[in-house]
Amino acid sequence: MLDIQSKNEISLFHQISKRLTFFNLRILMIFIILFNISVGSVLSFYIYLDQKSDLITVLKEEIKEVKMNAASLGPNDDITQRKHKRKNVYFNYFLNKKNGFEIYDETSPGYTKDIEKVLKQINPNHNKVFIKRISPHDKEELNLMIAAEKVYDSSNHYLGTIYSGKDLSSVIYLIKQFISISFLLSIIFCFMAYYFGKKITNQAMEPIISSYKEQQEFVENASHELRTPLSVLQAGIDVLSVEQDRLSDFGKETLTDLKKELSDTRNLVHQLLFLARLDQKQIAKVNIEEFRIDVFSEQIQKAWQYKASEKNQIIQLLNEQKFIVKTNQESLKQLINIFVDNAIKYSHEDRTISLNYYVRSEKKTNYFYYEIKDNGIGIAKELQDKIFNRFYRIEEHRSRDEGNTGLGLSIAKTIIESLNGEIIVNSEFGKGSSFKIKIPISNLFQIKKNI
């Protein structure tokens, strides 16, 4: 058992370390992705603005030159092609009054017809640019930024339309290369971050593991130191019980009080030690065994019926369906015992406490339910979220009289969470309570039906 517990503790810390590492890595990856997207977007936007400004400048120069040429010609003369040439990255087309294109500059003569088709689809707009992609089957793809504006002479006569464009293929290629390299470096950085993060997390876990081991040693020592004197006290009280007839009335009353206080103290110590030893998500994996749920429920009913009889209460088993359950039987028994004990304590005399179990399918998942229902004092709705807190008591004075430590429901919650389940509370003040234990059918809790 100690070897199993030690392995579970090591596994638990490894899981915590792994979860912390991956959590930090996910946060880092999200930050890197957002950073790359932000940098890429800002870079692309500023490059776009720079290219647009450059192209608009070229367009304005072309318009100015066309107007100057028109002013030097007669009214019936055509605008001659200018001699000045731009860099081969630009193209400049002039659509004259006869709806014919005059080529001033072009990036590549082989794209003339493709470019003219694109230009005819553009509606000239002042200070506005268009991004167009040309993808001929037998040529390289061009990514063009195009600006267009109609040209009028000094008398406001229409001369034609100037189309200025720029090939952004090389710029777009560089942006893509930058983004690719950036993401590649990000991936490498993530692997490095995972490696060093794992090392740092393991180092950070060392003092926690050391502290946990010290706590476990303290629990073992405290277990021995507390249980031994309590056992001695129990033995002494048992001896006095044998001689009870010789005691005075006051002595008998004192002996009864001592028995109750000792029982409450032993129960408190047991619960505290259980909480200290409890490894959430690990306890359910230890001592898994098969048992019949109907026999299990009958044993609980018989075990608690004697105590219930003191208040003339009846514990009723509503289901006798027979099937085999495979899980940690002791944990499940302690879980149900907590609710049955509370039902007896907080129900009035001559009441019935019912136990029921069944399997239900919800959203393609099978669940095992175990319900403990009473007709007791009930729990106010605003207090139902607090009852699972450690040492919480709804009625402080009454709870102490009933021997309630305020730890039972906290233990129940921890056990049910170790099985990946939940506790459903339905209660109304003054009318009783229903506690449903809901556990998913899984490797931690298996069911073999029909014996």
Side-chain angles (χ1 to χ4, degrees), residues 214-241:
E214 290 177 1
Q215 178 187 343
Q216 290 300 99
E217 291 176 3
F218 168 77
V219 168
E220 294 298 328
N221 294 333
S223 173
H224 176 74
E225 295 298 330
L226 288 172
R227 286 178 176 174
T228 301
L230 289 175
S231 299
V232 172
L233 284 172
Q234 183 66 55
I237 289 176
D238 290 342
V239 171
L240 288 175
S241 297

Side-chain angles (χ1 to χ4, degrees), residues 30-220:
I30 291 172
F31 172 78
I32 289 175
I33 291 172
L34 292 176
F35 176 77
N36 283 331
I37 292 174
S38 301
V39 171
S41 300
V42 172
L43 180 64
S44 301
F45 179 70
Y46 276 102
I47 290 175
Y48 168 80
L49 291 181
D50 180 66
Q51 296 296 322
K52 177 183 177 181
S53 175
D54 193 14
L55 184 60
I56 294 297
T57 301
V58 171
L59 180 65
K60 297 297 182 186
E61 291 176 358
E62 291 294 326
I63 292 172
K64 183 178 180 181
E65 190 166 348
V66 168
K67 287 182 177 181
M68 290 176 61
N69 290 339
S72 63
L73 297 174
N76 298 320
D77 295 330
D78 292 330
I79 299 175
T80 57
Q81 181 176 351
R82 55 154 175 74
K83 297 179 179 180
H84 177 68
K85 296 289 184 180
R86 303 284 176 188
K87 295 178 181 178
N88 59 3
V89 72
Y90 296 104
F91 71 83
N92 291 287
Y93 282 49
F94 180 71
L95 182 64
N96 57 36
K97 291 184 286 186
K98 297 178 181 179
N99 206 29
F101 280 105
E102 297 179 14
I103 302 174
Y104 288 175
D105 304 289
E106 59 182 346
T107 54
S108 177
Y111 291 90
T112 303
K113 292 183 179 180
D114 297 306
I115 293 174
E116 287 181 358
K117 288 180 182 178
V118 171
L119 296 182
K120 289 178 180 178
Q121 300 172 2
I122 294 176
N123 184 24
N125 198 331
H126 182 66
N127 284 338
K128 184 176 181 181
V129 297
F130 305 88
I131 305 296
K132 297 291 183 179
R133 179 180 295 175
I134 298 177
S135 304
H137 295 292
D138 55 344
K139 302 170 189 173
E140 292 185 6
E141 181 180 86
L142 288 183
N143 294 278
L144 303 177
M145 176 183 281
I146 303 171
E149 190 171 336
K150 293 180 178 180
V151 183
Y152 298 89
D153 61 13
S154 57
S155 301
N156 203 28
H157 293 131
Y158 175 69
L159 300 176
T161 304
I162 284 287
Y163 294 90
S164 294
K166 188 174 185 180
D167 183 12
L168 299 182
S169 299
S170 59
V171 176
I172 292 175
Y173 173 77
L174 289 175
I175 293 175
K176 288 181 178 179
Q177 288 295 102
F178 169 79
I179 293 174
S180 300
I181 293 172
S182 177
F183 273 98
L184 179 62
L185 291 175
S186 299
I187 292 171
I188 295 173
F189 182 73
C190 284
F191 278 108
M192 293 176 62
Y194 172 75
Y195 175 76
F196 289 108
K198 188 175 181 181
K199 275 196 164 188
I200 293 171
T201 303
N202 289 336
Q203 290 178 357
M205 290 294 293
E206 287 179 3
I208 299 175
I209 296 173
S210 176
S211 175
Y212 180 81
K213 289 181 178 178
E214 290 177 1
Q215 178 187 343
Q216 290 300 99
E217 291 176 3
F218 168 77
V219 168
E220 294 298 328

Side-chain angles (χ1 to χ4, degrees), residues 319-336:
N319 192 349
E320 296 182 359
Q321 186 180 0
K322 299 177 181 180
F323 55 84
I324 293 176
V325 171
K326 187 176 181 181
T327 188
N328 187 318
Q329 184 176 2
E330 288 302 316
S331 296
L332 184 63
K333 181 182 289 186
Q334 183 166 8
L335 174 64
I336 296 172

